[in-house]
């Protein structure tokens, strides 16, 4: 599932890097590899540029993946983690390199600003392209750091090793700490590229961490008057109560932070009833708290440099009855009413009452849930409905429920059986099944690993099935929407043949057909 973040495509585009990048040419010639996306480093690059404002520094082209990976190794701490906001493409001076090496032992690694897991994924891809075990070892060290820093309750802290501020230790949803880490670990657990080098034992450990994290995410969903709403930005690691982050990040239900959690939960295959309930409730809350009647405009102002950013603009609220819906970032934990805050920790309720530093350097209003509610969530609802229909289909067959089973087919539905002669209309299939169903005898296929593709009122799917007699089978087919309900237009049941048995099996089939 894709979370809310900008994309750096190849070649790099976007205002963040414009004016900052010059190509490094002093490097010795190196092998040419396939460029690797630096999408995951968007926050690091943005914060670096905002903080330094540097220009004229040489940067590595995206195909110099070893040089970029060497930067990641340079900044990796002895613990296995990384500090935030290090620009991975910069050509580092000898002085900076010496300083970075001197800081290896610092306990300042952080998952904030979508950090650590992008480095591990990038290094894994570099290892798979180059075969250089330095990158593999660094990636594994980062993975172990991530797993070791999970709290027993399933959460991850903002900055696990730092103690100077309370919020560093809090379980964190903001900046996709929990959903980002969990999405990354799910990819590791799957063993798919570029994580196919990771051994089964470590993948199993990773899968267990994901299970714990998923359970905690569901528990952390804020309830108001007994109803699930959204998620807070941070939670106390002991009490699991919503907690304050920085001085202006007061405890509340956060619209922006809720969206990536919902996107992550929607990315889970075969979601449980509790996950479905959590997503539906979260989407309903986002719909409930949307605001209307105004917009936020950006207006020119004198150039000002603050501690962590510079701005030559200001933000103002403009009344506009035709403005599209907008969301506040923070909502009250008891009333769901929006609020803002200043660095002094005091609530305010108008953007004009927020100091200029935080007004221009923090996102108090935005459209984060808009595309989620307009397209992503409705599509997920349809896929969930389709999955539920297929589950009912298999359950009805197992229960020998003739009416329930055949009512799930479309008017002109077709069932393709395992024998080449078995292409049945609904009427023909019903006639075949009637003697079995009348005796209470059905057939049981347990679905798993299901993929559904949606295209308007048509969907196609494939799924693996487990059967006591035949073992692993596969089902595939098409559903269509008729009168607002998804119906099976075609179901194809067949036995996958392992490639090394194909000659033997097809020979047996040919011999049988020749008789």
């Amino acid at each position: 599932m894709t979370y809310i973040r900008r994309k750096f495509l190849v070649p790099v585009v976007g205002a963040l890097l414009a004016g900052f990048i010059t190509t490094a040419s002093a490097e010795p010639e190196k092998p040419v590899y396939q460029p690797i996306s630096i999408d995951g480093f968007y926050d690091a690059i943005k914060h670096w540029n905002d903080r330094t404002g540097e220009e004229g520094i040489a940067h590595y082209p995206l195909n110099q993946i070893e040089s970029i990976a060497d930067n990641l190794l340079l900044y990796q701490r002895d613990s296995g983690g990384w500090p935030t906001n290090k620009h991975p493409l910069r050509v580092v001076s000898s002085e900076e390199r010496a300083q970075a090496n001197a800081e290896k032992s610092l306990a300042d690694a952080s998952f904030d600003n979508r950090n650590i897991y992008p480095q591990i994924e990038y290094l894994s891809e570099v290892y798979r392209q180059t075969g250089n075990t330095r990158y593999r070892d660094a990636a594994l060290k980062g993975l172990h750091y991530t797993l070791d820093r999970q709290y027993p309750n399933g959460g991850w802290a903002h900055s696990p090793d730092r103690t100077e501020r309370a919020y560093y230790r809090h379980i964190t949803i903001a900046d996709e700490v929990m959903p980002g880490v969990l999405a990354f670990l799910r990819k590791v657990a799957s063993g798919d590229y570029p994580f196919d080098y990771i051994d089964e034992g470590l993948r199993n450990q990773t899968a267990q961490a994901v299970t714990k994290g998923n359970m905690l995410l569901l528990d952390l969903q804020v309830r108001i008057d007994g109803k699930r709403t959204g998620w807070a930005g941070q939670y106390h690691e002991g009490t699991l109560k919503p907690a304050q982050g920085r001085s202006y990040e007061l405890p509340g239900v956060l619209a922006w932070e809720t969206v990536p959690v919902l996107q992550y939960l929607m990315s889970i295959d075969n979601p449980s009833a509790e996950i479905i309930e959590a997503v539906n409730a979260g989407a309903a809350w986002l719909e409930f708290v949307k605001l209307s009647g105004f917009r936020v405009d950006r207006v020119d102002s004198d150039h000002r440099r603050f501690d962590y950013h510079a701005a030559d603009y200001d933000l103002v609220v403009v009344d506009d009855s035709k403005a599209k819906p907008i969301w506040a970032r923070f909502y009250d934990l008891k009333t769901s009413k929006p609020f803002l805050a200043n660095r002094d920790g005091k609530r305010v309720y108008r953007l004009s009452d927020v100091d200029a530093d935080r007004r221009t350097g923090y996102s108090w209003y935005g459209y984060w849930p808009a595309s989620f509610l307009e397209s992503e969530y409705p599509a997920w609802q349809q896929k969930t409905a389709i999955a539920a229909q297929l589950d009912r289909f298999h359950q009805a067959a197992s229960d020998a429920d003739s009416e329930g089973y055949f009512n799930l087919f479309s008017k002109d539905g077709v069932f393709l059986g395992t024998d080449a002669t078995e292409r049945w209309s609904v009427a023909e299939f019903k006639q075949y099944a009637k003697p079995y169903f009348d005796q209470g005898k059905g057939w049981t296929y347990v679905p798993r690993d299901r993929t559904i593709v949606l295209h308007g009122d048509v969907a196609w799917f494939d799924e693996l099935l487990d059967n006591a007699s035949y073992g692993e089978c596969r089902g595939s087919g098409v559903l269509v929407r008729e009168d607002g309900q998804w119906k099976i237009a075609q179901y194809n049941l067949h036995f996958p043949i392992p490639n090394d048995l194909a000659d033997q099996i097809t020979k047996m089939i040919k011999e049988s057909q020749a008789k």
Side-chain angles (χ1 to χ4, degrees), residues 179-191:
V181 169
L182 286 170
F184 157 72
L185 291 179
R186 274 179 50 207
K187 289 192 285 186
V188 173
S190 74

Side-chain angles (χ1 to χ4, degrees), residues 366-412:
Y367 303 99
W368 317 289
S371 63
F372 168 82
L373 291 173
E374 291 168 5
S375 58
E376 296 172 47
Y377 175 60
W380 177 83
Q381 283 183 301
Q382 295 302 322
K383 287 187 177 182
T384 303
I386 290 166
Q389 286 289 75
L390 291 171
D391 288 343
R392 294 187 191 99
F393 178 73
H394 294 300
Q395 189 61 52
S398 182
D399 294 341
D401 177 4
S402 179
E403 182 177 0
Y405 186 75
F406 289 105
N407 281 345
L408 293 170
F409 280 95
S410 65
K411 298 171 184 176
D412 54 355

